[in-house]
Amino acid sequence: MKIVVVAHHSRLGRAKRLPADHIVIDDADRGALWGHTRALEWCAVQGGRCVVMEDDALPVPDFRARAAQWLAHCPNDLVSLYLGTGRPPQYQAEIKRQLASGNYVVRLPQLIHGVCYSVPAWGVCDVLRAIHKGPADFAIGKAWRSVTGRDVVYPAESLVDHDDLPSVEKHPDGRPRIERRRAWKLAT
């Protein structure tokens, strides 16, 4: 398993402290979708499962080993290793309901966070062909859904937290992101 980090040029120092095999640097403010697309293109030629991580991810100890276990457990799923609070608000009630059921996974029809995820190696090229414009997480999630018809799997205990820094992304709606963005529950 290899890890590629998507980094904004202003956060390159942070990105270099992550367990990266490769870093994609947005040095011209092209936006998250540009960076995630370049990261997935890198994943497509690695010959195995890869994890895409953003520069504001905070991995738990033994991240690589834990992530490898989850990906082996879910070889045919898009797995998001972060399940966060606050954003997007329309999914929070469903997340809360699924977590309250005691399941060890949450399943949603959409990738709602780009903080840390993995597309199965066999599906990366198909997802890349199906990506359209929009916020990176939603564009990747919609592409996954369109080519596989499958939900996204989220471990109930996230393997990364989100360092809730001010966003460097210029959001199309122009609205500030003020909701708290942290993991619902972090693996210990």
Side-chain angles (χ1 to χ4, degrees), residues 1 8 11 24-25 31 37 55 57 77 97 102 129 135 161 165 187:
M1 176 190 81
H8 186 265
R11 296 182 179 173
V24 172
I25 304 165
T37 301
D55 58 25
D77 293 301
R97 186 191 69 72
R129 282 191 289 275
D161 206 348
L165 302 168

Side-chain angles (χ1 to χ4, degrees), residues 171-182:
H171 300 286
D173 63 11
R175 295 187 349 213
R177 302 309 193 237
I178 57 172
E179 301 89 351
R180 184 173 184 266
R181 298 175 302 158
R182 299 296 289 203

Side-chain angles (χ1 to χ4, degrees), residues 30-168:
R30 295 177 189 101
L33 184 57
W34 178 89
H36 282 268
T37 301
R38 300 294 87 69
L40 288 170
E41 288 169 348
W42 181 84
C43 294
V45 297
Q46 297 310 304
R49 191 90 184 228
C50 297
V51 171
V52 178
M53 184 182 291
E54 290 183 334
D55 58 25
D56 54 2
L58 300 168
V60 298
D62 296 328
F63 172 82
R64 275 189 189 267
R66 291 176 178 208
Q69 287 176 335
W70 268 102
L71 300 180
H73 182 69
C74 302
N76 295 312
D77 293 301
L78 190 165
V79 178
S80 176
L81 298 168
Y82 170 75
L83 182 61
T85 63
R87 301 277 324 161
Q90 67 269 29
Y91 287 94
Q92 298 304 311
E94 177 59 19
I95 293 168
K96 187 175 183 177
R97 186 191 69 72
Q98 289 190 44
L99 289 173
S101 72
N103 290 344
Y104 69 100
V105 299
V106 169
R107 293 182 179 274
L108 296 173
Q110 176 62 33
L111 181 65
I112 62 172
H113 311 292
V115 177
C116 188
Y117 63 90
S118 178
V119 177
W122 59 262
V124 173
C125 290
D126 291 335
V127 167
L128 279 166
R129 282 191 289 275
I131 288 177
H132 298 289
K133 293 189 183 269
D137 46 9
F138 275 67
I140 293 161
K142 287 178 185 174
W144 171 256
R145 189 86 170 162
S146 75
V147 299
T148 68
R150 297 173 65 94
D151 285 344
V152 177
V153 173
Y154 298 79
E157 293 185 349
S158 295
L159 298 186
V160 301
D161 206 348
H162 181 243
D163 196 356
D164 198 10
L165 302 168
S167 180
V168 293

